[in-house]
């Protein structure tokens, strides 16, 4: 029996965990499976396609467990599951941010989020844009969190003296590579709290 697409995607995610996104190549995946490079290329014609399939696989289990019925609990749980899926693999958020994975699992997840917003009475525009806003928030914060696990950049007090950057100095305890869960929940609550005001007319472009 030949190598399946599922095996290739699983090997891609293993290589991602072991070597990071920069280490994911067609040849590395082939070596992981002990097959020829052309075997991988048969299922994924390029590295970009390989990353699309791997990105789609990350969201495979976001809908496995029952979801809360009430809004906004349902929306929050979906968002948390997406974030947990991205955190489950090294560099996963950076990988997903770099591709457009219009694949079944990704589309099913997006459809469920948007359906949740539509069922809560929001317009199609608000439902679509809220989904993207939360997804971009999740990607950005998770990329920062995963990068911090590698380098842990810190803004030090001597970099933001109060006489030069008074506002930054005042909030310095809240600036840095920590409290990611709290920051995520804070931003998610802000987006949800703003939904009632999001149904206004689209602003004109200048």
């Amino acid at each position: 029996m030949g190598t399946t697409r599922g095996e290739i995607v699983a090997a891609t995610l293993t290589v991602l965990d072991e070597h990071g996104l920069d280490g994911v190549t067609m040849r590395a995946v082939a070596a992981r499976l002990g097959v020829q490079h052309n075997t991988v290329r048969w299922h994924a014609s390029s590295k970009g396609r390989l990353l699309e399939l791997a990105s789609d696989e990350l969201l495979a289990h976001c809908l496995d467990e029952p979801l809360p019925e009430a809004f906004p609990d349902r929306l929050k749980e979906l968002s948390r599951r997406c974030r947990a899926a991205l955190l489950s693999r090294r560099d996963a958020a950076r990988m997903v941010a770099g591709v457009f994975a219009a694949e079944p699992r990704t589309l099913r997840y997006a459809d469920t989020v948007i359906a949740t917003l539509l069922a809560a009475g929001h317009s199609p525009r608000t439902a679509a844009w809220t989904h993207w806003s939360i997804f971009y928030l999740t990607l950005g914060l998770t990329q920062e969190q995963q990068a911090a696990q590698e380098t842990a950049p810190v803004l030090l007090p001597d970099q933001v003296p109060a006489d030069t950057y008074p506002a930054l100095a005042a909030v310095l305890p809240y600036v840095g590579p920590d409290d990611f869960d709290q920051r995520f929940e804070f931003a998610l609550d802000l987006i949800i709290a703003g939904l009632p005001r999001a149904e206004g007319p689209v602003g004109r472009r200048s």
Side-chain angles (χ1 to χ4, degrees), residues 7-163:
E7 289 171 334
I8 287 171
V9 171
T12 302
L13 292 172
T14 299
V15 172
L16 181 72
D17 268 339
E18 293 176 346
H19 304 290
L21 182 59
D22 295 334
V24 177
T25 65
M26 306 282 276
R27 293 190 184 282
V29 172
R32 178 73 192 180
L33 288 168
V35 300
Q36 296 295 317
H37 175 261
N38 286 343
T39 301
V40 177
R41 188 170 291 278
W42 175 261
H43 293 281
S45 59
S46 65
K47 177 180 175 178
R49 180 59 179 151
L50 195 64
L51 296 180
E52 288 174 359
L53 295 172
S55 295
D56 189 56
E57 177 64 24
L58 282 171
L59 300 184
H61 303 294
C62 286
L63 306 179
D64 284 358
E65 298 297 324
L67 289 161
E69 291 295 330
F71 186 87
D73 294 343
R74 188 181 183 89
L75 179 61
K76 287 184 175 183
E77 179 61 20
L78 283 163
S79 304
R80 290 167 185 149
R81 290 184 189 181
C82 178
R83 180 166 177 263
L86 294 175
L87 285 170
S88 70
R89 298 283 185 171
R90 178 180 174 185
D91 284 348
R94 185 157 69 95
M95 178 178 71
V96 173
V99 300
F100 182 71
E103 299 296 321
R105 287 155 171 164
T106 303
L107 295 175
R108 195 174 303 116
Y109 173 79
D111 188 75
T112 304
V113 173
I114 291 171
T116 297
L117 287 151
L118 291 173
H122 296 292
S123 69
R125 184 199 73 173
T126 297
W129 289 0
T130 299
H131 163 58
W132 286 119
S133 296
I134 294 173
F135 193 61
Y136 294 146
L137 160 70
T138 306
L139 283 175
L141 190 64
T142 306
Q143 283 187 77
E144 180 188 345
Q145 184 171 355
Q146 292 181 320
Q149 292 169 355
E150 300 282 341
T151 61
V154 176
L155 191 61
L156 301 173
D158 60 0
Q159 293 175 294
V160 286
D163 57 344

